[in-house]
């Protein structure tokens, strides 16, 4: 996987290569397609289809400038540092996926809009450690034990957002056995995709986990895409220690999801 592109991601705190290769470096009431953690991907897809087939209100896509105002900013969430730098340096055309149905999943975890739109903004949030001496890192490994949450907002015309959620949910089912992808000349492998229980926020959502082989080790990355009207909020996490050793990247913090969806109107 591309170690160089990952280092760039970390330095700019955004998302450029799980095209998933990002990971190699460094609804409420309306939710109808979030699966229970023990529910099959197939059940999640069926729920999503039901939600998307309902009459979603027609929406007008927001501009990039409008989306930036809705993205979480420093001071919006106590205890978190917000890095405003965007690092979406990879385009959809640069992300080659061997199964078309899996492309929205790859785009979502690459900070790219998972559907057909160019209106997309992103940033990242890191939980701040306390100032007390007992909370300061004891060594380099401890200092790297940080979980970063990447947030991207994309906006769509008419029912484009609802259709994108359905495509993602369908992709979770179609790609359960994994898929391959290439980004910046590096080929990698997702070995498993599974539906997860989402936050229950917004009008509907889809949440999933992906097992990804990173330099011989397997990491598990969690992603959730939440729809609020014609806008999608995409969230996923990256733990730097887990990145280096393999293992689970950590759940998406509920506080971050709550704060971001509350900011969407």
């Amino acid at each position: 996987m591309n170690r160089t592109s990952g280092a760039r991601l970390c330095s700019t705190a955004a998302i450029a290569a799980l095209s998933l290769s990002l990971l190699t470096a460094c609804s409420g009431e309306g939710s109808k397609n979030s699966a229970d953690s023990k529910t099959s991907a197939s059940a999640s897809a069926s729920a999503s289809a039901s939600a998307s087939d309902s009459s979603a209100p027609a929406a007008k896509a927001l501009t990039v400038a409008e989306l930036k105002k809705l993205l979480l900013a420093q001071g919006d969430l106590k205890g978190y540092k917000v890095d405003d730098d965007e690092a979406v340096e990879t385009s959809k055309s640069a992300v080659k996926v061997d199964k078309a149905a899996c492309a929205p999943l790859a785009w979502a975890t690459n900070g790219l809009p998972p559907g057909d739109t160019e209106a997309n903004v992103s940033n990242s949030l890191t939980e701040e450690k306390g100032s007390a001496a007992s909370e300061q890192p004891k060594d380099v490994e401890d200092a790297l034990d940080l979980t970063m949450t990447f947030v991207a907002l994309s906006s769509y015309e008419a029912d484009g957002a609802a259709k994108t959620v359905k495509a993602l949910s369908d992709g979770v089912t179609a790609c359960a056995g994994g898929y391959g992808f290439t980004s910046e000349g590096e080929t990698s492998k997702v070995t498993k995709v599974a539906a997860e229980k989402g936050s229950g926020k917004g009008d509907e959502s889809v949440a999933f986990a992906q097992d990804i082989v990173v330099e011989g080790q397997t990491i598990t990355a969690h992603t959730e895409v939440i729809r609020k009207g014609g806008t999608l909020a995409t969230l996923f996490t990256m733990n730097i220690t887990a990145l280096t050793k393999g293992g689970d990247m950590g759940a998406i913090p509920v506080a971050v999801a709550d704060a971001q969806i509350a900011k969407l109107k």
Side-chain angles (χ1 to χ4, degrees), residues 142-158:
D142 190 34
L144 291 176
D145 188 17
L146 296 172
T147 297
M148 305 172 72
T149 303
F150 295 87
V151 182
L153 299 180
S154 54
S155 188
Y156 302 79
E157 296 284 354

Side-chain angles (χ1 to χ4, degrees), residues 38 42 51 62 96 100 102 120 128 158 165 196 200 203 232 241 247 254:
K38 295 183 179 179
S42 177
L62 300 177
K96 307 297 184 183
C102 308
N120 189 69
E128 297 175 323
V165 171
E196 294 195 305
D203 298 324
L232 297 182
T241 296
V254 173

Side-chain angles (χ1 to χ4, degrees), residues 229-250:
T231 299
L232 297 182
T234 301
L235 304 95
F236 65 95
T237 57
M238 178 179 72
N239 180 276
I240 299 175
T241 296
L243 244 169
T244 61
K245 294 183 175 182
D248 197 291
M249 300 297 284

Side-chain angles (χ1 to χ4, degrees), residues 19-31:
S19 88
L20 285 10
S21 51
L22 157 89
L23 296 177
T24 70
C26 341
S27 316
E29 312 161 316
S31 180

Side-chain angles (χ1 to χ4, degrees), residues 88-95 107 110 112:
V88 182
E89 301 175 31
T90 301
S91 66
K92 287 183 178 179
S93 62
V95 179
W107 295 334
N110 183 47
L112 295 165

Side-chain angles (χ1 to χ4, degrees), residues 60-167:
K60 177 176 173 57
L62 300 177
T63 65
V64 168
E66 290 172 324
L67 285 175
K68 284 184 177 180
K69 293 178 181 179
L70 297 176
L71 196 61
L72 285 175
Q74 189 63 46
D76 285 344
L77 184 57
K78 185 178 180 180
Y80 282 84
K81 179 182 182 301
V82 177
D83 192 316
D84 294 325
D85 291 336
E86 292 188 73
V88 182
E89 301 175 31
T90 301
S91 66
K92 287 183 178 179
S93 62
V95 179
K96 307 297 184 183
V97 183
D98 63 6
K99 296 180 183 178
C102 308
L105 307 181
W107 295 334
T109 43
N110 183 47
L112 295 165
D116 186 16
T117 184
E118 296 301 320
N120 189 69
V121 297
S122 63
N123 64 9
S124 66
L125 294 88
T126 305
E127 189 169 9
E128 297 175 323
K129 293 191 175 182
S131 57
S134 61
E135 297 182 64
Q136 295 305 300
K138 301 177 180 61
D139 49 34
V140 173
E141 183 175 339
D142 190 34
L144 291 176
D145 188 17
L146 296 172
T147 297
M148 305 172 72
T149 303
F150 295 87
V151 182
L153 299 180
S154 54
S155 188
Y156 302 79
E157 296 284 354
D159 62 349
K163 287 181 176 179
T164 299
V165 171
K166 183 179 186 305

